[in-house]
Amino acid sequence: MTRLAPIAHLLIAPMLGGGCAGSRLPEDPPQTLQQVNEQLDGRWACIRQANGDLIEHVEDVTVGPDTTTFYHRMDQEE
């Protein structure tokens, strides 16, 4: 499990264009964490931490109010 900064600082791939798996922007941006998780739905993603670090090649992302969990494909660890 990886502890990340507040949700407002997360940058999730389905809301981005290039570089990460999500090439299609959602019609309406998610308004709740549940909607974020539904849009991720097992897709690969990129996560930008509040400190600016970008974590790429992740899947099985679950976003919570204080914690985000994911599986890192390249490092093969959760």
Side-chain angles (χ1 to χ4, degrees):
M1 223 187 292
T2 301
R3 182 163 176 86
L4 300 177
I7 187 69
H9 293 107
L10 287 176
L11 189 58
I12 307 294
M15 293 173 253
L16 299 175
C20 296
S23 60
R24 195 176 113 223
L25 294 173
E27 199 169 298
D28 295 315
Q31 301 298 311
T32 66
L33 293 178
Q34 180 179 354
Q35 289 174 339
V36 169
N37 290 321
E38 287 170 359
Q39 287 184 2
L40 286 168
D41 190 33
R43 293 180 179 90
W44 282 44
C46 295
I47 299 172
R48 182 165 313 274
Q49 294 178 289
N51 67 4
D53 289 347
L54 182 65
I55 304 171
E56 299 181 279
H57 310 293
V58 299
E59 64 180 331
D60 297 328
V61 178
T62 303
V63 180
D66 297 316
T67 305
T68 297
T69 59
F70 55 86
Y71 177 76
H72 193 280
R73 296 280 301 183
M74 305 307 263
D75 294 341
Q76 295 185 350
E77 64 184 21
E78 212 172 278

